[in-house]
Every structure is written in structure tokens, then in C-alpha cells.
Amino acid sequence: RRMKARAPPPPNQPSAANKIHSEHKSPAESAVISDQNLASMKENMINRSVDFTVILPSGVEQKSTVQGSKAVMDLLVDLCSQYHLNPSQHSLELKSSGTQQPLNYKPNTLIGALDVQTVLLKEKVPEEKTRRPLPRVPEKSVRLVVNYLKTQKTVVRVSPEVPLHNIIPAICEKCEVSQEHVVLLRDGITGEELELTKSLEELGIKELYAWDRKREPSRNASVSHDAIEKEKTRLLGLFQADRRSSKGFSTAPNSPLVNSRSSSLASSLSLGNISGMPANPEVKKRRAPPPPVVTPTL
């Protein structure tokens, strides 16, 4: 009888010798050994005393020693208490012994886990105040009346506390006048030029005249044509009224002129009758004047 050949072992199955060898160097055992070493190292670091130099906000240096098991936040509180500072307004900057570069840490990081040589106790700069803009105070402003181009008038709201040269752009924009040709006058009659370095409050004015040197012939330009015509009309009306009143007095029956004329006539007639002398031939020949015609005053 023929016997079957034994099947070969699986290709992935390691030999017994290799299995024993691999068991001696298993990753699990290596990890356990490294963890134990790390834990012992941490324990040694935590239990040790850490000496460092403290630099206060004033620049004074102090030597200090703490246990490595103290957290950074606790160290901040202890130092602020020792030097009478507010912990909420200060922070710690830790520098290593080798590079003197700032170390990264969390508030609960233990001092022993860091290679600390210098501790800077620094005052915090309030970030909110630097980032947040200051509340804007509303600027004080007044209504300034601006006369321009003889008959034009407008109102511009400007600050009364700034020099006049600061408000010229607003005046020119509203009046459509070029800044190169504008001159600010107290009024258009006197032509007094205002000092541009002074403010409206300093000058004590709420109205001015913007004189356009290019479009207006003279500074005395604020007396408008309409105002002149109104003044002429007013004076003419007064003159006509005066003429009417004087004419009415001359024709009225009770006027002094008529009374004096009638009294002189009566005296001449009565004189002739009393003396028996003939009256003045001129008086006899001249007819009596017609009765005066009274013209009604309109």
C-alpha cells in the first residue's frame, strides 16, 4: 500500500525557534519598559527642586526655588502674592536655561516638567482696550449762514471750534465756489477779510460772506441788487406821499394860504367902507376868485 506524503507546513507559519526569538523582543514588552522609564523620569523631575531667577515688572531680579510638582498657574499666584501684585493683571514668561527662548506651557503644566531658568513676571496689556476703538464723541457743530454771489444764501453745518481753513472745503462744496478763488469776509459791505487761523467761536460770528474773486468784481458785493431796488422804491414812495400831502394843504379851505388871502381882502373892503374913500381900483376891477376846488387825497 502506498502512503500519502505529509502536507508541507503553511508558508506564513514561523518556526519554533523564530517564535521564541520574537517573543523575547515583543513590542509590548518594549513599550512597558519605556513607559516605566518615562514615569520614573517624570517622578524624578516632579520631586526635584527647581531653582530659577524671577524678574519682576520693575526689572528687579530675585532668586526663587519651588518644587517641580507645582503648576505654572500656582506659581503665578504665589509670586503675585509674595510681591503684592494682582494675578489677573500679570502673566509668566518662562525661559529655558539653554536657548533662553520662551517656553510653551499650559496653566496646569508642572514646573518640574520644564527646563526653567528664568521666570519673567510681566504686566498684561489689556487686549480689549487696544482692539476696541474708543467711543466716538459726537463732534460739536453749528449752523453757519454763508452769503455768496451777491444774492445767494445757504446754511452749512460745521464745527465752531476748528480754524476757518478747515471748513473752507465744506463751504466751497455747498456754494459751488473754487477753493483757489474764495475769500471769507465778515460781510459784503465792509469787505473785512477773516483770519483763517481763527475759529467761528473766536471770531464770534455765525454768518459770513464767501467772496469769489474770479466771478465777483469787488469785495463789497453782499448788498444785493434787489435790496437796492427796494430801497429806491421806498424812497420814491415817501417822496410822492410828501408831494401829495403838500398839495392837499395848499388847496384846502382851512389852509393858512387861503385864510391869509381872504382876511387881506376883507380888511381892504372894510377899510374903504369906513373912510368913505373909494376902494382900490384894482380891487374893484378884479373879480372875486372862483371858489377853491378841493382835490381828494388818494
Side-chain angles (χ1 to χ4, degrees), residues 229-260:
E229 291 299 323
K230 287 180 181 179
E231 185 66 17
K232 285 182 178 179
T233 305
R234 188 180 71 85
L235 294 175
L236 184 60
L238 291 175
F239 178 70
Q240 290 177 349
D242 187 49
R243 286 185 60 188
R244 285 197 300 266
S245 61
S246 61
K247 186 176 181 181
F249 277 125
S250 62
T251 56
N254 296 327
S255 63
L257 183 60
V258 174
N259 291 338
S260 60

Side-chain angles (χ1 to χ4, degrees), residues 191-266:
E192 177 188 350
E193 189 170 342
L194 297 172
E195 295 184 39
L196 300 183
T197 57
K198 291 187 177 182
S199 65
L200 294 175
E201 284 188 349
E202 292 173 331
L203 295 170
I205 59 173
K206 295 182 180 178
E207 184 172 357
L208 53 80
Y209 190 88
W211 174 48
D212 189 346
R213 291 176 296 183
K214 187 176 181 181
R215 299 163 67 180
E216 298 180 62
S218 65
R219 289 190 178 188
N220 304 339
S222 68
V223 181
S224 65
H225 180 71
D226 293 342
I228 295 174
E229 291 299 323
K230 287 180 181 179
E231 185 66 17
K232 285 182 178 179
T233 305
R234 188 180 71 85
L235 294 175
L236 184 60
L238 291 175
F239 178 70
Q240 290 177 349
D242 187 49
R243 286 185 60 188
R244 285 197 300 266
S245 61
S246 61
K247 186 176 181 181
F249 277 125
S250 62
T251 56
N254 296 327
S255 63
L257 183 60
V258 174
N259 291 338
S260 60
R261 184 182 299 171
S262 60
S263 60
S264 61
L265 181 61

Side-chain angles (χ1 to χ4, degrees), residues 265-294:
L265 181 61
S267 60
S268 62
L269 291 175
S270 59
L271 180 63
N273 294 335
I274 293 171
S275 60
M277 296 176 64
N280 192 352
E282 294 181 2
V283 175
K284 283 184 176 182
K285 291 178 181 179
R286 188 174 59 187
R287 291 183 180 180
V293 179
V294 179

Side-chain angles (χ1 to χ4, degrees), residues 52-56 60-64 82-83 119:
F52 53 85
T53 301
V54 180
I55 302 178
L56 301 177
V60 178
E61 296 185 4
Q62 299 286 344
K63 297 292 182 181
S64 183
Q82 182 178 352
Y83 298 109
V119 175

